[in-house]
Amino acid sequence: MSGQTPALAERMQHIGLSPTMKGTIAAEKMRREGIDVVDLGAGEPDFPTPAHVTAAAHKALDANFTKYTANMGTLELREAIGFRYREDYGVSYAPDEIIAAAGGKQALYHAAMTLFGPGDEVVTHAPGWPTLLEQIKLAGATPVVVTTRVEEGWALTADLLLSAVTPRTKAIIVNSPGNPTGALMSETEAKKLADEAAKRGLWIIVDLCYEGLVYDSVPHNLPKIFGDVMRDKLVLCGSASKAYAMTGWRCGWVLAPKAIVAGCNALQSHESSNVNSITQKAVVAALTSSQDCVAEMRAVYKQRRDQVIEWLKEEPRLTCAVPQGAFYLYPSVQAFLSPSVPTSQAFTDGLLAKEFVVVPPAEAFEATAAFRLSYATSLEKLREGVTRIIRYANSLPLK
Ligand SMILES: Cc1ncc(COP(=O)(O)O)c(C=O)c1O
């Protein structure tokens, strides 16, 4: 019946399509029209999946490893995840404390659905990945957002997160390395937060999806620091997507106390069942073979990060903190806002319309006056993108 709103469920009034996807859709349309678009919006590695990982998938296919597996993931995969966390962080998780899901996104969603419900408040931070907020809402709980500050390099501190805790707070979600700022929670702050959370009986969920992409040898052993103090209320969510250039394969995981993993398992058993069987074999290869491929990609990302920061200095008003992780820069556009370009959304809309550069605005991350620039693309494209961004910024009217 035209003109009438279809009778969608009430929950659909509170969520919409991920805002980071909007620019990508507009850019796709331009590309179809033959326009030379520079896309610096991608939230995924530009590298191919490492050859030894795809070889394991080919082998699985040839062996007809194409049936349902255990709902939680094969024992082999869960042991491989446990092995990786033991090697990297010195923490110990048994196979029944680990479940594989279809990406870190589903891992986080199942953790949210298992733990949160109506009446609960869940504290998380902005600028931040919007999905975390939507998942809290989908679980019927209330997100409470604290804001990190550019003046402090977007540092996520225990005091800031704890300042939002009320008697209704059930959990705190920490994303480190963080999207979109690339900032890390320091080990000192993590210890402080762990001690307080343990005292107050709060859960901590750590979104570690950019683990493996930490630069400058900064210590970042959050699993051990939280685990030593409050393992019984700690949920670690990780993913093969970013570190191993496996975004399309869809594999993430939850490491948590048995009851939480059992909850995730029950949800998954009625929803999507096991992660794709071929993917599972590929991820076992990724997690248990040499980690040199991760180090090699990390070295390239670091070189790009440093180079783009240098290029951005050509326009000193585009100030940008040096991120310690992930593959994003988060330059400020504060100096360019004016009555005719009042928001970063207006800035990035104009950038797309005039210079055909795609970057998501701060508004996509519950923030203002900045945009996210992904350096998971070639130096050539990055150079072209930065040139266009600076040209556009300089064309804007002065305040
Ligand atoms: C902060 C953060 N967490 C989790 C994810 C989930 O990634 P995936 O579902 O591909 O593992 C993403 C993806 O962009 C992310 O940015």
Side-chain angles (χ1 to χ4, degrees), residues 313-386:
K313 286 181 187 159
E314 290 165 18
E315 175 40 90
R317 290 174 298 169
L318 278 171
T319 53
C320 183
V322 180
Q324 293 175 310
F327 38 60
Y328 306 115
L329 298 179
Y330 193 63
S332 167
V333 296
Q334 188 64 53
F336 301 96
L337 300 186
S338 66
S340 58
V341 183
T343 61
S344 40
Q345 177 79 63
F347 182 96
T348 60
D349 285 351
L351 181 62
L352 181 62
K354 292 202 176 127
E355 292 283 357
F356 316 123
V357 176
V358 184
V359 284
E363 285 82 355
F365 307 102
E366 301 287 317
T368 56
F371 62 85
R372 187 188 78 180
L373 184 161
S374 165
Y375 50 90
T377 190
S378 69
L379 275 175
E380 197 191 349
K381 284 200 189 121
L382 287 163
R383 177 65 261 191
E384 177 61 21
V386 173

Side-chain angles (χ1 to χ4, degrees), residues 276-298:
N276 173 307
S277 57
I278 314 284
T279 291
Q280 293 192 49
K281 286 285 187 190
V283 173
V284 168
L287 293 169
T288 57
S289 321
S290 156
Q291 299 297 289
D292 287 355
C293 57
V294 182
E296 281 158 24
M297 290 188 267
R298 188 168 53 229

Side-chain angles (χ1 to χ4, degrees), residues 43 103-105 108 129 175 179 207 209-210 239 241-242 247 250:
K105 196 176 256 187
L108 286 156
W129 187 50
N175 171 219
N179 175 6
D207 175 0
C209 284
Y210 292 89
S239 167
S241 288
K242 318 282 178 169
T247 44
R250 310 310 300 138

Side-chain angles (χ1 to χ4, degrees), residues 154-195:
W154 307 111
L156 184 57
T157 63
D159 284 346
L160 180 65
L161 289 163
L162 292 165
S163 69
V165 169
T166 75
R168 299 184 128 197
T169 306
K170 176 92 182 255
I172 297 174
I173 306 182
V174 170
N175 171 219
S176 178
N179 175 6
T181 63
L184 304 184
M185 171 168 247
S186 74
E187 292 195 343
T188 315
E189 291 300 322
K191 171 77 171 78
K192 210 164 142 187
L193 181 61
D195 288 340

Side-chain angles (χ1 to χ4, degrees), residues 145-159:
V145 181
V146 297
T147 303
T148 57
R149 289 158 51 86
V150 63
E151 297 81 4
E152 290 153 12
W154 307 111
L156 184 57
T157 63
D159 284 346

